[in-house]
């Protein structure tokens, strides 16, 4: 039997019985949605995940992206999946109608995304990153940057990436060294090297917008001197008007980083400004880059936790099917050595291990869904107090959600 990825009954249990989804939809921000509409969104994601994404997982993992002549080429299956996932609404499901989104609760999108991630985390990665990059511009970018970059990422015309990490600056982003020099034309000239940039280049769309941390010349040292920039792989010839043909913006792919797993999503080393011609546009105010990142930290933590839960779920379903079909040994009470072997799921210790997996997956999904629901109320609570209470609870919960993959699955 094909791997079902998640237990539908469990997802429906969360949607209909554990959480008061109908109550959530009474908040003014979700007034346009019905419970049936939310269920349909989850069902569409489930169907697509099972029929299209999961069958592409193995081929994409076996033949990862290639780097040729400075250009990254993804697996042909990923190129086919990309427009279908845009159509499914994956990028803008939770964004408001004012920016072209469906305005669904993050809680509902979380349940839908659990199927997409369980089926093919690499394919989902392009979308999670694009939403994240667009979201930074939606929250902190100028109307021009929103029109030029956010709108094109939200429509799926271009994708986005997060370019934070440098060879010497991983956990410690305080040590970011990439520099940005202001010009009279309104843009900055950016120079520096980034590593581990997921989805930082590909051949699915004409352009990639890198939301990049860099230090403006003369900025204070440490965390309070790091700014956020939008840096496209290709810029418009008429940069001031955001119009005309697209020309290279001096962003070079320096190398492909090989990974164990999650190989369908390229991870790259990028060099900005090797020819001193990389144009970047400041997002928000100078020196506030890290604080902008942190304001979206709770959503990022929910996504990372869901990665872990979804991966654990698809592994559990694999174990379950194997245990149901692998014959080995006989029950302890069987006296006849010629009696047929039983499937290993009949053995108490195998059942114990399967139940442990099941408890981790179901408890983990419930935990992530709880955080997602708090996030919805924190952002859209009916009263200020309701929102503040949910935000406080979310802040307590998300560090636990984020550590889910490491603490509960792999240990
Ligand atoms: C699959 C994957 C995708 C990624 N995608 C992106 C991306 O798209 N964009 C991007 O910018 N980056 C990306 N990264 C990079 C990621 O952000 C960094 O790996 C991360 O910030 C950690 O940095 P590091 O690998 O240099 O580890 P280090 O910072 O060197 O940490 C190594 C270990 O030391 C611990 N440690 C470090 N400092 C401390 C401290 N002060 N106290 C206690 N413990 C500490 C860490 O917890 C860790 O266990 C990705 C990484 C991975 C694995």
């Amino acid at each position: 039997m094909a791997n079902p990825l998640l237990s539908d009954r469990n997802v429906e249990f969360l949607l209909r019985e554990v959480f008061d989804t109908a109550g959530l939809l009474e908040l003014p921000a979700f007034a346009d949605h019905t419970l049936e509409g939310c269920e349909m969104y989850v069902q569409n994601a489930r169907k697509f995940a099972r029929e299209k994404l999961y069958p592409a997982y193995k081929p994409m993992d076996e033949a990862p992206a290639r780097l040729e002549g400075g250009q990254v080429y993804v697996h042909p299956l990923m190129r086919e999946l990309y427009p279908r996932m845009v159509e499914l609404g994956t990028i803008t499901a939770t964004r408001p109608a004012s920016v072209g989104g469906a305005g669904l609760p993050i809680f509902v999108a979380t349940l839908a995304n659990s199927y997409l991630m369980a089926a093919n985390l690499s394919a989902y990665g392009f979308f999670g990153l694009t939403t994240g990059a667009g979201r930074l511009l939606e929250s902190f970018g100028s109307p021009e940057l929103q029109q030029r970059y956010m709108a094109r990422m939200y429509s799926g015309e271009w994708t986005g990436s997060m370019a934070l990490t440098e060879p010497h600056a991983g956990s410690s982003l305080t040590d970011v060294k990439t520099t940005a020099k202001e010009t009279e034309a309104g843009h900055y000239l950016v120079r520096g090297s980034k590593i581990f940039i997921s989805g930082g280049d590909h051949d699915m769309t004409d352009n990639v917008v890198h939301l990049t941390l860099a230090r403006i010349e003369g900025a204070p040292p440490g965390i309070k001197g790091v700014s956020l920039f939008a840096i496209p792989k290709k810029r418009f010839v008429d940069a001031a008007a955001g119009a005309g043909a697209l020309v290279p913006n001096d962003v070079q792919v320096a190398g492909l980083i090989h990974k164990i797993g999650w190989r369908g999503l390229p991870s790259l080393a990028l060099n900005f400004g090797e020819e001193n011609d990389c144009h970047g546009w400041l997002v928000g105010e100078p020196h506030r880059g890290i604080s902008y990142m942190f304001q979206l930290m709770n959503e990022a933590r929910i996504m990372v936790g869901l990665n872990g839960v979804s991966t654990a779920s698809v592994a559990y379903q694999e174990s379950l099917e194997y245990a149901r079909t692998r014959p080995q040994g006989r029950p302890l009470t069987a006296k006849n050595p010629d009696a047929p072997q039983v499937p290993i799921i009949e053995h108490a210790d195998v059942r114990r291990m399967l139940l442990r997996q099941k408890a981790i997956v179901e408890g983990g999904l419930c935990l992530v869904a709880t955080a997602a629901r708090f996030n919805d109320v924190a952002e859209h609570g009916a009263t200020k107090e309701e929102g503040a209470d949910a935000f406080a609870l979310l802040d307590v919960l998300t560090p636990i959600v984020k550590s889910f993959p490491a603490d509960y699955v792999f240990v």
Side-chain angles (χ1 to χ4, degrees), residues 116-177:
L116 304 178
M117 289 186 192
N120 194 327
L121 203 49
S122 292
Y124 179 83
F126 288 101
F127 292 84
L129 286 157
T130 300
T131 309
R135 184 90 165 84
L136 281 167
L137 293 176
E138 185 189 325
S139 299
F140 310 112
S142 63
E144 291 76 32
L145 290 182
Q146 290 176 350
Q147 194 189 11
R148 197 175 301 173
Y149 301 124
M150 179 199 77
R152 288 184 167 94
M153 288 193 278
Y154 277 176
S155 71
E157 185 185 345
W158 296 348
T159 67
S161 91
M162 297 286 187
L164 323 178
T165 309
E166 298 181 6
H168 54 277
S171 309
S172 178
L173 290 173
T174 293
D175 295 314
V176 157
K177 279 193 185 144

Side-chain angles (χ1 to χ4, degrees), residues 49-67:
R50 286 185 182 148
E51 292 178 6
K52 303 290 173 197
L53 280 182
Y54 192 56
Y57 166 72
K58 203 166 175 223
M60 282 174 58
D61 205 58
E62 284 172 348
R66 296 172 287 117
L67 173 62

